[in-house]
Amino acid sequence: MAYWLLKSEPDVFSFADLQAVRREPWNGIRNYQARNFLRQMVPGDLGLFYHSNTQPPHIAGVLRVVREAYPDDLQFDPASEYYDPKSSAEALRWSMVDVGAVAAFPQPVTLEDLRALPEWAESPLVRRGNRLSVMPLSEAEFQAALRAGGLPETTS
DNA sequence: GCCAACGTTGGC
DNA sequence: GCCAACGTTGGC
């Protein structure tokens, strides 16, 4: 079981949106490091849903990976902002996974809250200028965030 | 292969 | 709105 953090701007797609649709392809990732993490995901892995570009930035809930990485169809759609003319089925560039909502945090955990948690001291998320939108978490980071958010540690 | 210019992310 | 961080692009 691996743990992850996935960022989304809530104005674009929020945790409440994920709860409403139940299941969603995590598409539009156009960064190689983030893509490589997507490809490491396994159904059953748990993740934190982070709301970026909002005031204050915060973790809103827990998600679960429900389908392993497969081709992100937006890379082949010329009408999409995520279209990539250099990608092809033979030389695939971008992947996505499907995720589902597990539970909303009773208390959203802000970036400031995370900085106060000793378990998060080494996380790139709490460092200035971090732009990675998909990153692995240690079990200690994951569980500490759940505690801070008011969820029991066993959400699986 | 280097690196300057540029673009994007995302906190503040 | 500003700007730090940093990935990408393209000239050479």
Side-chain angles (χ1 to χ4, degrees), chain A residues 111-125:
Chain A
L111 184 58
E112 185 184 5
D113 294 335
L114 289 174
R115 291 199 168 110
L117 298 176
E119 293 88 348
W120 281 75
E122 301 305 314
S123 170
L125 186 78

Side-chain angles (χ1 to χ4, degrees), chain A residues 3-102:
Chain A
Y3 301 97
W4 307 95
L5 183 138
L6 288 79
K7 292 183 187 175
S8 181
E9 299 186 18
D11 290 348
V12 178
F13 187 76
S14 69
F15 188 74
D17 293 332
L18 179 60
Q19 288 180 302
V21 298
R22 300 189 54 83
R23 178 184 180 124
E24 180 77 2
W26 203 266
N27 55 24
I29 298 297
R30 296 293 179 268
N31 168 282
Y32 287 106
Q33 196 178 357
R35 180 207 68 182
N36 292 342
F37 288 135
L38 288 179
R39 290 180 176 176
Q40 293 173 26
M41 292 182 184
V42 171
D45 283 356
L46 294 175
L48 300 178
F49 194 120
Y50 180 85
H51 283 170
S52 64
N53 251 319
T54 190
Q55 193 52 249
H58 62 277
I59 298 169
V62 179
L63 59 77
R64 188 193 314 275
V65 176
V66 296
R67 181 177 171 182
E68 67 180 1
Y70 62 108
D72 180 342
D73 45 11
L74 298 181
Q75 70 198 302
F76 303 123
D77 177 4
S80 169
E81 62 175 313
Y82 297 112
Y83 176 59
D84 185 346
K86 294 178 180 170
S87 188
S88 66
E90 300 75 30
L92 183 75
R93 278 200 169 182
W94 307 114
S95 300
M96 60 185 179
V97 297
D98 286 355
V99 300
V102 174

